[in-house]
Amino acid sequence: MKITAQQLREKYLNFFKSKNHTIIPSASLVPENDPSALFTNSGMFPLVPFLLGEKHPAGKRLANVQKCIRTVDIENVGDDTHCTFIEMLGNWSLGDYFKEDAIKWSFEFLTSSDYLNLSLDRLGFSVFAGDKDAPRDEESAEVWESLGVKAERIAYLPKGDNWWIAGQTGPCGPDTEMFYWIDDGTPAPDNFQKTKDDKRWVEIWNDVFMQFEKQADGKLVPLKQKSVDTGMGLDRVLAVLNGQKSVYDTELFDPMFQVLELDQEVMSNDEVRKARIVVDHIRAAVFIVGDGVEPSNKDRGYILRRLLRRAMVMGRLLNLKHHWLDAIIGKVVTTYAEAYQDLLDKSENIYSVILAEQKKFESTLEKGLKEFEKLIKQHSGVGAGFKPAPTEGSQLTGKDAFDLYQTYGFPWELTEELAVASGQKIKKTEFEAEFKKHQELSRTASIGQFKGGLASHSDKIVRLHTATHLMNAALRKVLGENVWQKGSNITEERTRFDFTHDRKMTPAEIAEVEMLVNQWIKMDLKVKKEIMPSDEARKLNAIGVFGEKYAQDVCIYTVYDEKTGEVISREFCGGPHVEHTGIIGKFKIQKEEASSSGIRRIKAIISN
Ligand code: ATP
Ligand code: MG
């Protein structure tokens, strides 16, 4: 069946509309209030609070096309099936229908001649095999069989393949995945279980059934609200439907290859991989910039920078002609303009942000590549007449890679790529060791300055900061020691605090936390700062976000009762803090809400 990407999006949404689903818009690639991931990475991600029981304003049956970024797949880009930017077609039941309907509808959409009309002969299905914690998912298998799927086309797989859970605890359950045998002229093998590792079986859709809650003690208890979350990759299904071998052969990428004058048919495997990295990374970058991110050296900005710089290096290695980058940006925008009209409005900004990064990187890249060539020559002994010839097999070191990173901004992947292209092996562990050494030095330096994560050190912020430590201590007292800080952010107005906890706090718990904090404020406790070796701090049970375990000095803040010596709070922290809690003011929790699966978020204020 020949079908366009837009027709596929519409078919999917229309199908689920006909099953009484409400179509919701794609959320931004930048998660709203969710520190647990840098980018929206699945259709389910923005819906987590609703899958956990919050009421969704659009009802209990939802469907959409969601933009996603999957950084975990960066290394796989270049194969036939992985991209970093994907559109996920998804449908959800929030405590409404469950396995039977979900599977029936997946089957109908895939095989009905009104929809995708895929031949059952080429489809394989996997279900959860069961283990000591959770039963084999016979229910799903039975539904598939009742629809005409042959038993031997159903594979039973363990948790590693067919089980979903977001974190350590919380909602979880089995999933059932649908695979298509790529049309290479051969019929699909009869037995799916035995052949499932064959690359020609491509996963196209995944139905997840949230039916248990995993408790802190590891026990699974049935959930009251059972939910369904499904995700189908647009690029893969488009390739399958049009009889193409790879997502990179579809109309979503073809205009980009055309404008680059690259033909995958005649290129070497290595060139194809590089070219796919170029088109994939630029497509992802266009969408990321479209959602308001700019290149920088941290978090989202760093991922964006890494995608762009990697694409630029590949572009150079492929000798792409002048203005290749502008040309592909244009193709991405026009290819997606119908489905994402905002891209057109934002295109001017997208061009200027990406081209500015190119300009910035160009001269560095030039110098870095020269430096790299110099290093290679040294290691291979070529042109190093005044030096003793290096021993045979001399290789680039982790230090070389780190210097390239430090001076020229070459990410590890890039240096590795260049090294491999020059026939050199290079050890990632060595690079990481250099990286850690450097981090340690800079951390010691910043601890010397007593700087924490707070951008501004106004009086109000300092008071809120100490209040946050008290709240952390109170939460652990009221909710238990399973509470761990996951992030915090303080502005003049409020403190925002994310922490691990598997359910909503009750009004009584909130009141108790407020009462404890206000009591500690009234007691005018002393706040003491100390610098000590981290081992010692650990022995004192200091808590907080401290990361790696270096035998180096750390800064600890302790809030304690001078009269009794009782310690209320002891945290690893850069400060600054008030000296006495009495000056904090009155503490109040304004809001307690789900932040992401297993993570709660509190917003609290203080008043004089
Ligand atoms: P795979 O094991 O093939 O990487 P996955 O298990 O990571 O897939 P899911 O997380 O179940 O995939 O995502 C649901 C669907 O999204 C998949 O069935 C597939 O169609 C699509 N998909 C997932 N990752 C990618 C990717 N990197 N590029 C293109 N499509 C993808
Ligand atoms: Mg994957």
Side-chain angles (χ1 to χ4, degrees):
M1 175 200 275
K2 291 272 172 272
I3 185 172
T4 67
Q6 186 59 11
Q7 285 165 344
L8 177 52
R9 293 183 193 103
E10 282 165 12
K11 257 188 201 284
Y12 185 84
L13 297 179
N14 285 337
F15 177 80
F16 282 100
K17 227 186 267 172
S18 80
K19 309 291 180 199
N20 297 320
H21 286 61
T22 305
I23 309 307
I24 56 172
S26 171
S28 167
L29 285 172
V30 176
E32 225 173 279
N33 300 322
D34 190 338
S36 67
L38 289 175
F39 291 105
T40 300
N41 55 19
S42 61
M44 177 262 296
F45 185 83
L47 293 170
V48 165
F50 309 103
L51 290 162
L52 292 179
E54 302 268 327
K55 215 170 132 111
H56 195 289
K60 291 181 172 180
R61 293 184 182 191
L62 311 174
N64 81 349
V65 181
Q66 174 64 49
K67 303 179 270 189
C68 307
I69 293 288
R70 293 215 162 172
T71 50
V72 291
D73 286 335
I74 282 183
E75 302 299 326
N76 295 325
V77 170
D79 70 4
D80 286 331
T81 52
H82 288 90
C83 313
T84 52
F85 170 84
I86 51 180
E87 288 170 272
M88 201 84 96
L89 306 168
N91 58 284
W92 293 274
S93 155
L94 307 173
D96 188 359
Y97 61 86
F98 202 47
K99 289 181 187 175
E100 186 172 350
D101 286 325
I103 291 176
K104 268 191 187 154
W105 291 335
S106 289
F107 184 88
E108 184 183 346
F109 184 68
L110 290 177
T111 60
S112 148
S113 56
D114 290 338
Y115 292 95
L116 301 191
N117 201 21
L118 289 174
S119 159
L120 193 49
D121 287 344
R122 288 188 174 272
L123 289 165
F125 305 82
S126 65
V127 300
F128 176 55
D131 61 13
K132 62 180 186 351
D133 308 322
R136 188 177 179 86
D137 190 8
E138 299 289 4
E139 286 170 86
S140 293
E142 271 165 29
V143 183
W144 287 122
E145 285 188 51
S146 76
L147 295 165
V149 174
K150 293 202 188 94
E152 55 186 359
R153 279 291 175 80
I154 299 177
Y156 291 83
L157 303 178
K159 277 221 180 82
D161 296 291
N162 283 59
W163 188 263
W164 181 87
I165 185 162
Q168 295 300 314
T169 57
C172 56
D175 65 42
T176 179
E177 300 182 353
M178 290 144 263
F179 294 75
Y180 186 80
W181 181 261
I182 287 296
D183 198 347
D184 65 342
T186 61
D190 289 335
N191 192 308
F192 179 51
Q193 179 98 33
K194 282 194 192 137
T195 57
K196 65 178 180 30
D197 292 329
D198 191 309
K199 285 261 174 299
R200 283 169 288 184
W201 282 119
V202 173
E203 182 195 325
I204 52 173
W205 201 353
N206 187 356
D207 291 358
V208 178
F209 303 118
M210 295 173 200
Q211 86 183 93
F212 300 103
E213 162 117 30
K214 187 172 178 191
Q215 298 177 332
D217 62 7
K219 248 209 178 123
L220 297 179
V221 294
L223 270 178
K224 259 197 236 105
Q225 174 187 307
K226 294 195 177 99
S227 294
V228 176
D229 149 44
T230 92
M232 174 192 247
L234 177 86
D235 302 75
R236 288 192 193 175
V237 177
L238 192 62
V240 159
L241 290 169
N242 289 296
Q244 289 149 332
K245 202 172 143 269
S246 160
V247 294
Y248 293 98
D249 294 336
T250 64
E251 60 162 47
L252 295 172
F253 286 109
D254 193 49
M256 291 184 247
F257 284 108
Q258 297 239 359
V259 77
L260 295 177
E261 293 172 17
L262 294 177
D263 182 351
Q264 295 182 81
E265 295 284 313
V266 301
M267 294 158 80
S268 71
N269 286 346
D270 182 57
E271 284 169 338
V272 166
R273 186 172 156 268
K274 291 191 168 92
R276 288 176 176 182
I277 291 173
V278 169
V279 295
D280 168 81
H281 286 14
I282 299 301
R283 177 175 83 164
V286 165
F287 275 94
I288 292 173
V289 176
D291 277 346
V293 179
E294 295 201 1
S296 75
N297 285 331
K298 66 189 244 284
D299 300 342
R300 277 184 272 281
Y302 178 69
I303 303 280
L304 173 60
R305 173 161 281 168
R306 194 172 136 196
L307 288 167
L308 285 170
R309 292 188 169 192
R310 191 157 178 252
M312 288 174 209
V313 170
M314 296 302 157
R316 223 197 115 89
L317 295 175
L318 286 168
N319 282 319
L320 295 182
K321 63 178 194 303
H322 215 51
H323 288 305
W324 64 270
L325 186 51
D326 325 26
I328 345 188
I329 298 172
K331 288 299 171 194
V332 180
V333 171
T334 48
T335 302
Y336 284 93
E338 191 182 355
Y340 300 90
Q341 284 166 15
D342 62 317
L343 273 188
L344 268 186
D345 308 333
K346 293 170 180 163
S347 61
E348 212 171 302
N349 181 55
I350 293 172
Y351 275 109
S352 82
V353 168
I354 295 181
L355 296 179
E357 178 67 10
Q358 183 186 34
K359 207 155 176 207
K360 208 172 191 170
F361 188 50
E362 239 163 25
S363 63
T364 331
L365 176 62
E366 211 59 54
K367 285 186 215 142
L369 286 174
K370 280 213 182 93
E371 181 63 30
F372 180 83
E373 273 157 31
K374 228 162 68 195
L375 286 167
I376 290 285
K377 275 190 191 152
Q378 277 173 21
H379 285 286
S380 60
V382 182
F386 57 93
K387 279 189 183 168
T391 50
E392 237 211 298
S394 157
Q395 298 286 357
L396 282 178
T397 63
K399 172 108 177 35
D400 294 332
F402 185 72
D403 288 345
L404 285 168
Y405 167 77
Q406 272 281 84
T407 320
Y408 303 104
F410 276 30
W412 156 258
E413 297 76 16
L414 211 154
T415 304
E416 186 189 34
E417 199 112 35
L418 292 168
V420 170
S422 330
Q424 291 255 328
K425 277 202 206 86
I426 180 165
K427 289 202 185 101
K428 188 164 190 187
T429 44
E430 274 180 24
F431 172 78
E432 282 168 345
E434 284 296 323
F435 198 91
K436 284 224 163 113
K437 219 181 343 181
H438 171 80
Q439 262 188 335
E440 204 170 324
L441 287 173
S442 60
R443 181 167 314 126
T444 313
S446 72
I447 282 171
Q449 296 159 9
F450 306 120
K451 272 208 178 122
L454 301 166
S456 136
H457 291 175
S458 78
D459 160 59
K460 177 83 184 288
I461 284 183
V462 173
R463 287 190 288 133
L464 270 166
H465 192 185
T466 310
T468 308
H469 280 217
L470 293 179
M471 175 168 71
N472 193 359
L475 285 168
R476 289 170 66 83
K477 230 183 166 126
V478 174
L479 303 177
E481 308 251 309
N482 279 329
V483 167
W484 292 103
Q485 175 173 348
K486 277 290 165 191
S488 95
N489 171 289
I490 299 175
T491 66
E492 290 281 335
E493 281 75 42
R494 51 98 185 121
T495 172
R496 192 184 77 197
F497 187 78
D498 293 336
F499 62 96
T500 51
H501 188 52
D502 52 14
R503 56 182 173 79
K504 197 168 173 53
M505 289 175 71
T506 64
E509 287 167 340
I510 292 175
E512 202 184 340
V513 169
E514 280 180 344
M515 190 214 57
L516 272 173
V517 173
N518 282 315
Q519 185 186 321
W520 290 331
I521 291 172
K522 235 200 211 131
M523 284 163 76
D524 198 20
L525 302 167
K526 176 126 177 82
V527 183
K528 176 173 72 175
K529 177 173 81 194
E530 290 162 285
I531 311 271
M532 62 178 82
S534 65
D535 285 347
E536 206 169 302
R538 264 162 218 282
K539 272 185 220 143
L540 291 172
N541 288 326
I543 58 165
V545 186
F546 45 85
E548 301 96 325
K549 35 192 179 302
Y550 290 112
Q552 61 163 48
D553 289 349
V554 293
C555 186
I556 298 294
Y557 276 89
T558 306
V559 185
Y560 68 105
D561 188 340
E562 272 179 292
K563 282 176 227 131
T564 62
E566 186 196 358
V567 171
I568 302 298
S569 147
R570 179 172 274 145
E571 289 199 35
F572 290 78
C573 178
H577 283 278
V578 301
E579 288 178 7
H580 281 266
T581 59
I583 62 168
I584 289 176
K586 193 160 168 47
F587 170 85
K588 183 154 179 49
I589 291 180
Q590 274 198 318
K591 206 171 184 184
E592 191 272 349
E593 61 191 330
S595 163
S596 61
S597 174
I599 312 273
R600 307 295 302 178
R601 166 167 292 182
I602 281 182
K603 286 191 184 139
I605 53 166
I606 52 173
S607 52
N608 292 327

